[in-house]
Amino acid sequence: MLNAEFNDIAENPGLDLNPAHLRASIDDVNGLVYDAINNGVYKCGFAKKQGPYDEAVTKLYEALDKCEEILSKQRYMCGNQLTEADVRLFVTLIRFDEVYAVHFKCNKKLLREYPNLFNYTKDLPDPRDQQHGEHGAHQAALLREPPVHQPLRDHPPRPQHRLQCSP
């Protein structure tokens, strides 16, 4: 529906994010991405018991590993063309380190620790000019290093607490 229903008001109505020859691949990737990644971060964050959290976080990181592997061999999730599957994955990746790792306990591994996913996320909004992308604030947050604070007084630094996933 989103591929053509809004063409009357779209800036680029000719953009086809769901081409017929890639639909099976797009559907496969969307199945993985939606359940394990888009919805998976929420399953982790809202888990009330350890068992469901462990299950969700395992599935999340298996899916991220799979996406990392796919992107080690090709430019986009379904080959060499931007598709709906890329858009679906991007919306979660762009917020991963800043939101989901911090607030939803998805911190087994940060996005920046996945070289292919990290570069893919930095490039995706507008490969021609990242500075003018719609998601500039998110990109800036993604690219900046975590702040390092110097203590005001001479006392030991606070330990960095990072929730750990079960092995």
Side-chain angles (χ1 to χ4, degrees):
M1 174 183 131
L2 293 177
N3 198 47
E5 287 299 315
F6 299 100
N7 281 351
D8 292 343
I9 58 172
E11 283 186 36
N12 187 358
L15 178 63
D16 187 2
L17 295 174
N18 197 9
H21 71 284
L22 292 176
R23 284 193 187 134
S25 178
I26 292 168
D27 290 344
D28 288 345
V29 171
N30 282 346
L32 169 75
V33 169
Y34 174 74
D35 185 53
I37 299 175
N38 298 139
N39 202 26
V41 293
Y42 290 93
K43 290 176 185 178
C44 293
F46 293 113
K48 295 182 188 253
K49 296 188 182 226
Q50 189 66 41
Y53 169 79
D54 289 344
E55 183 180 328
V57 83
T58 298
K59 196 172 181 181
L60 169 65
Y61 282 95
E62 285 173 354
L64 289 172
D65 290 342
K66 176 72 173 164
C67 292
E68 176 73 6
E69 180 186 336
I70 290 169
L71 293 170
S72 74
K73 299 173 188 158
Q74 58 196 39
R75 176 72 178 94
Y76 297 107
M77 289 301 295
C78 296
N80 293 321
Q81 180 178 348
L82 181 71
T83 67
E84 173 193 334
D86 298 295
V87 175
R88 184 179 299 260
L89 179 58
F90 174 78
V91 297
T92 299
L93 295 181
I94 194 66
R95 297 179 290 219
F96 198 85
D97 288 359
E98 294 289 320
V99 178
Y100 302 123
V102 176
H103 300 292
F104 284 45
K105 303 180 256 4
C106 301
N107 52 14
K108 179 179 176 184
K109 191 173 178 182
L110 299 174
L111 180 67
R112 67 179 68 244
E113 296 174 71
Y114 288 97
N116 297 308
L117 279 170
F118 185 60
N119 287 329
Y120 167 86
T121 304
K122 291 188 300 184
D123 242 11
L124 203 55
D126 187 352
R128 296 161 298 156
D129 183 3
Q130 291 184 28
Q131 298 299 316
H132 297 93
E134 181 178 323
H135 301 285
H138 287 298
Q139 284 179 310
L142 180 68
L143 296 173
R144 93 173 156 253
E145 290 297 320
V148 176
H149 300 289
Q150 298 297 322
L152 295 175
R153 293 184 238 156
D154 190 19
H155 58 79
R158 288 180 21 197
Q160 292 292 326
H161 295 287
R162 195 166 179 194
L163 295 174
Q164 296 297 315
C165 302
S166 299

